[in-house]
Amino acid sequence: MEKKYIFITIIFLMIINYFYIYYNYHYKEENNLVLFRSLNIPDLDFLTFDYLLNNHGEKEVYLCESASSSSVMPEKDITDNSINSGLTKYKKSTIKEFINNDLHDDKWYFKYEDDYNFFKMIGLEDKILNICKKSFNSNDNDTCLKSSVSFWCGGKNTKTPWHTDFDDRSFLYVIHGKKKVRIVKPKYDKNMYKINKYFYYSFWSEVDFSNPDYEKHPLYKDVEITEIILNSGDGIHIPRNWWHCVENVEPTIALTYCTYSKDYYKYCEFAEKFRKIYYEFSNLI
């Protein structure tokens, strides 16, 4: 019986130690916000609106409704069923229809991330990844187990609301156009009013950055916001867990290059599953 209690105690201490290491790895505040002015990656210049229209115009894609508030956020998986159920704000389109019709207003945003790999769909994934690996100065390039690229294509005033990402290293690069990026340090977490719901490897805020409601979110008044304009050829590294929201100042094509280290998979994957269970359970109570 005594051995049993010793074994249980050891297991308990191992679990506590794991989450302690996870917390220090994942939530420690990094101070390495890096701005790349005139990075200029010529190998990516071919990704223009004309290129997409002329070479992939008939490709079916999903458009996400642009918003400055996260009050209704999409689920992780984009499917016809999720679109029709009203759980998400997506619509199916073609690239041709998007560029000819939707690019000229601020309602719909053509963006692919996480499991939605647009570059893989059009046969460019390896090429784009190799260009990014050569172009971004990241120590993770030598040790990362995985890298990914997200794609952003939207008209003037299309937006992504306040959120944080859990990626190890994340580099946003503007290929064509102009973006305004607002950034808030993690020390203002309590002022950002996290939505009490599970989102895939991220947190999202209740605050509408275009029209904040200070009666509903009074602590948001005290947040120190840094605004950065990214022009064509500019890039930025946004550290893990830093709050940010993004607005296209003009029609813009951009990408985000992310790398994931051994420690990321060691300390994040299991804990992320635990976090998902926690939110699902807490919302049932």
Side-chain angles (χ1 to χ4, degrees):
M1 183 67 70
E2 187 175 324
K3 288 183 178 180
K4 178 181 178 182
Y5 287 127
I6 292 173
F7 176 76
I8 292 173
T9 301
I10 291 172
I11 295 298
F12 176 75
L13 291 174
M14 288 175 64
I15 293 172
I16 295 298
N17 183 61
Y18 173 86
F19 280 103
Y20 174 78
I21 295 172
Y22 163 77
Y23 181 86
N24 280 279
Y25 170 78
H26 192 69
Y27 288 100
K28 66 181 179 181
E29 182 167 328
E30 298 182 59
N31 296 308
N32 56 339
L33 178 72
V34 182
L35 186 59
F36 300 87
R37 287 295 185 199
S38 301
L39 180 61
N40 296 329
I41 306 175
D43 289 343
L44 293 174
D45 287 347
F46 75 95
L47 282 170
T48 64
F49 292 109
D50 284 341
Y51 169 83
L52 294 171
L53 182 63
N54 296 330
N55 292 275
H56 305 286
E58 302 306 320
K59 176 71 69 176
E60 284 194 338
V61 295
Y62 292 103
L63 307 181
C64 178
E65 188 170 27
S66 168
S68 56
S69 167
S70 306
S71 57
V72 180
M73 284 301 303
E75 306 294 326
K76 176 179 180 293
D77 296 321
I78 304 177
T79 65
D80 288 338
N81 288 335
S82 67
I83 290 172
N84 295 332
S85 70
L87 293 173
T88 64
K89 291 190 173 185
Y90 283 102
K91 76 170 182 177
K92 184 181 284 189
S93 181
T94 65
I95 291 177
K96 181 179 180 179
E97 290 171 347
F98 167 71
I99 291 176
N100 288 338
N101 302 323
D102 297 302
L103 186 61
H104 306 293
D105 68 43
D106 61 358
K107 182 174 177 60
W108 294 103
Y109 201 169
F110 173 26
K111 55 183 180 179
Y112 271 59
E113 55 184 327
D114 299 328
D115 290 340
Y116 331 131
N117 193 329
F118 174 68
F119 290 124
K120 185 175 182 178
M121 287 169 52
I122 62 174
L124 290 177
E125 181 182 25
D126 290 341
K127 177 178 179 178
I128 300 297
L129 280 174
N130 287 332
I131 293 170
C132 290
K133 287 175 183 178
K134 290 188 297 183
S135 303
F136 291 99
N137 181 20
S138 169
N139 293 329
D140 286 345
N141 277 342
D142 297 327
T143 59
C144 74
L145 298 182
K146 180 184 175 183
S147 56
S148 66
V149 181
S150 302
F151 180 67
W152 317 97
C153 181
K156 183 179 180 179
N157 296 328
T158 46
K159 306 171 182 71
T160 300
W162 282 119
H163 66 287
T164 71
D165 296 309
F166 296 177
D167 308 298
D168 254 359
R169 294 287 182 268
S170 179
F171 301 88
L172 172 63
Y173 175 73
V174 176
I175 303 172
H176 302 288
K178 183 183 292 187
K179 285 181 176 288
K180 178 186 288 186
V181 183
R182 296 173 174 88
I183 299 172
V184 169
K185 291 184 177 181
K187 69 179 183 179
Y188 292 106
D189 262 5
K190 292 182 180 178
N191 305 65
M192 295 302 293
Y193 298 91
K194 292 178 186 175
I195 296 176
N196 186 31
K197 180 180 177 182
Y198 175 77
F199 296 103
Y200 184 69
Y201 283 85
S202 61
F203 291 117
W204 293 78
S205 170
E206 297 176 2
V207 178
D208 184 334
F209 74 80
S210 290
N211 186 29
D213 184 340
Y214 293 116
E215 290 188 6
K216 187 177 180 180
H217 307 122
L219 297 179
Y220 183 68
K221 290 181 181 178
D222 300 324
V223 171
E224 182 180 330
I225 301 173
T226 300
E227 289 192 0
I228 297 173
I229 296 294
L230 298 179
N231 296 297
S232 298
D234 290 343
I236 189 172
H237 163 55
I238 301 174
R240 181 174 56 245
N241 292 321
W242 285 42
W243 290 93
H244 54 286
C245 60
V246 186
E247 183 174 4
N248 289 324
V249 179
E250 60 189 46
T252 299
I253 295 175
L255 60 77
T256 300
Y257 172 62
C258 298
T259 63
Y260 307 91
S261 67
K262 181 179 179 180
D263 283 344
Y264 175 87
Y265 288 101
K266 185 177 180 180
Y267 298 124
C268 289
E269 284 217 320
F270 174 76
E272 182 68 7
K273 292 175 182 177
F274 183 84
R275 190 176 73 90
K276 182 177 181 181
I277 293 170
Y278 166 78
Y279 275 100
E280 290 176 345
F281 179 75
S282 64
N283 285 322
L284 290 175
I285 298 176

